[in-house]
Amino acid sequence: MPEPQPALVLRRPAPADEAQVRGAARELAAEGFDFAPLLDDLAWPDWLATMADREAGLHLPEGIVPETFVLATLDGVVVGRGSVRHRLTPALERLGGHVGYAVRPGHRRRGYATVILRGCLDLAAAAGVHAALVTCADTNTASARTIERAGGVLRDVLVDSDGRATRRYDVPTARA
Ligand SMILES: CC(C)(COP(=O)(O)OP(=O)(O)OC[C@H]1O[C@@H](n2cnc3c(N)ncnc32)[C@H](O)[C@@H]1OP(=O)(O)O)[C@@H](O)C(=O)NCCC(=O)NCCS
């Protein structure tokens, strides 16, 4: 009989996660991706409190909407993260969309992004979002595949003044 495999868990960050989250943030920063926004500027307890406030819609800076941040863990190991904006601003409508996600380099190509995006779509549905906007760079093949696997339908490809192209997908949040 094969050993049962541990399941990926999506959960809020907790006090004991600091070293792993900072490690993941360093790895993703090397790829130009912000794994834990604001973490460079805040002590860990303040960052945890800020994430909780953001989810609750408390003390939001101008232009920042409520957002849920979750870690993806496997047997206690942080392998990735997801974030869900509860609504869009004009800037998010163009670039960021409702959902962001990342998987640490050492844990890729095992289907984790697919699981994280599905979990984030559940969180979006719970926040009242029926069709999520999910975006990725036109060159990000892995992310585009992840979105398409989640049922994403390409809306368009926006090209900014620097020539960078962003794919915008509409993704139903209800489970098929
Ligand atoms: C994009 C990212 C989240 C994918 O994570 P992952 O866990 O490796 O993805 P999965 O294993 O769930 O794979 C999802 C699909 O992408 C494909 N894929 C993954 N990596 C790929 C790559 N380097 N090239 C081509 N396809 C790739 C997989 O084959 C799979 O498609 P399939 O089911 O048709 O085979 C990860 O590469 C990452 O964190 N990148 C940096 C941050 C980022 O770009 N986040 C998304 C911002 S929009």
Side-chain angles (χ1 to χ4, degrees):
M1 284 268 286
E3 290 286 308
Q5 297 297 308
L8 204 65
V9 172
L10 294 190
R11 60 161 176 80
R12 277 45 171 192
D17 296 322
E18 177 173 11
Q20 291 201 72
V21 173
R22 288 197 187 277
R26 278 192 296 275
E27 292 169 9
L28 271 294
E31 299 182 357
F33 187 90
D34 197 356
F35 185 87
L38 303 174
L39 183 56
D40 280 349
D41 303 326
L42 293 173
W44 180 249
D46 297 332
W47 185 78
L48 290 176
T50 301
M51 293 299 110
D53 276 358
R54 292 229 160 156
E55 179 164 1
L58 299 173
H59 313 302
L60 296 177
E62 181 75 27
I64 299 296
V65 298
E67 178 169 15
T68 301
F69 183 100
V70 287
L71 294 175
T73 66
L74 192 72
D75 223 6
V77 175
V78 171
V79 302
R81 63 85 148 166
S83 56
V84 180
R85 268 77 69 169
H86 299 190
R87 59 175 188 269
L88 298 178
T89 61
L92 290 171
E93 183 83 43
R94 276 191 67 78
L95 263 186
H98 283 102
V99 178
Y101 46 85
V103 173
R104 296 176 79 172
H107 298 275
R108 289 188 185 154
R109 303 214 75 156
R110 294 174 209 173
Y112 297 158
T114 304
V115 178
I116 294 169
L117 177 54
R118 183 59 256 168
C120 286
L121 293 171
D122 289 341
L123 290 167
V129 177
H130 301 297
L133 175 68
V134 187
T135 67
C136 67
D138 194 36
T139 51
N140 195 339
T141 312
S143 192
R145 282 290 308 147
T146 303
I147 299 166
E148 287 162 8
R149 281 179 60 97
V153 176
L154 185 64
R155 184 194 298 182
D156 55 20
V157 182
L158 292 185
V159 182
D160 70 16
S161 53
D162 296 335
R164 275 178 310 193
T166 301
R167 290 174 175 236
R168 300 198 300 173
Y169 288 90
D170 295 299
V171 192
T173 59
R175 284 187 179 256

